Amino acid sequence: MVVLSQMLQVLFLSLFTLGASLPQRRQGPDYPATEPIPILRQESEVNFDGTYKYSYETGNGISHEESGFLKDTGDPENQAQVVQGSSSYTSPEGIQIKLVYVADEFGFQPTGDHLPVKPPTPVLIQKALDYLATLPSTPEPPVVSPSRRYY
């Protein structure tokens, strides 16, 4: 009886593991069945000096390119990794999106027509900032540390 119970447990766990490992596909009105998207082009190159580049293009119009290298900062202990690349795809609204970016010691710097831009500074705020810039700076008073008192 114990052997049969153990066999049923093993069978149940095997079936559960098999079911969990199958690809999960969402179906229904929100998730229409789709065909796999082919990879039309894929290239990758990694070099011993730390440089690399890769790119790919898919059958639905997505493309991506990226390259990277180590930038000499003058300090051999502190080299900067520089990455530059671009991605493009078509949005659900049918607009072609292209993102170009650089990431280096100054951070991630994306550019693209679809990205939001800073609104112009209101005229009154700009006048106040210009006025403040004309005022002489006031020196900070020296910081006096409180004396310690022991009772």
Side-chain angles (χ1 to χ4, degrees), residues 50-53 66-70 81-84:
T51 61
Y52 73 92
K53 63 181 174 178
E66 183 174 294
S67 63
F69 61 93
L70 289 175
Q81 177 77 36
V82 177
V83 176
Q84 52 197 14

Side-chain angles (χ1 to χ4, degrees), residues 90-113:
T90 303
S91 74
E93 296 79 25
I95 300 168
Q96 185 67 24
I97 303 294
K98 181 163 174 96
L99 176 73
V100 178
Y101 61 89
V102 174
D104 56 15
E105 67 269 25
F106 304 111
F108 181 69
Q109 305 148 43
T111 58
D113 293 338

Side-chain angles (χ1 to χ4, degrees), residues 12 20 32-33 36 42 46 51 57 61 63 78 111 113 117 123 130 134 136 144:
F12 174 74
Q42 182 175 6
V46 179
T51 61
E57 184 176 352
S63 65
N78 239 351
T111 58
D113 293 338
V117 294
V123 176
D130 293 341
T134 64
V144 178

Side-chain angles (χ1 to χ4, degrees), residues 9-125:
Q9 286 178 349
V10 169
L11 179 64
F12 174 74
L13 288 174
S14 299
L15 289 175
F16 179 76
T17 303
L18 177 65
S21 66
L22 291 175
Q24 304 294 316
R25 293 192 181 229
R26 295 181 176 179
Q27 294 180 353
D30 293 336
Y31 302 101
T34 59
E35 292 295 318
I37 299 168
I39 304 295
L40 303 177
R41 179 182 57 83
Q42 182 175 6
E43 299 172 9
S44 179
E45 178 183 326
V46 179
N47 301 311
F48 290 108
D49 62 353
T51 61
Y52 73 92
K53 63 181 174 178
Y54 75 91
S55 62
Y56 63 85
E57 184 176 352
T58 64
N60 62 351
I62 298 173
S63 65
H64 183 81
E65 296 179 8
E66 183 174 294
S67 63
F69 61 93
L70 289 175
K71 181 179 178 182
D72 187 11
T73 59
D75 179 8
E77 297 292 321
N78 239 351
Q79 292 186 334
Q81 177 77 36
V82 177
V83 176
Q84 52 197 14
S86 66
S87 293
S88 66
Y89 64 95
T90 303
S91 74
E93 296 79 25
I95 300 168
Q96 185 67 24
I97 303 294
K98 181 163 174 96
L99 176 73
V100 178
Y101 61 89
V102 174
D104 56 15
E105 67 269 25
F106 304 111
F108 181 69
Q109 305 148 43
T111 58
D113 293 338
H114 65 290
L115 296 175
V117 294
K118 180 183 97 168
T121 306
V123 176
L124 292 176
I125 300 293

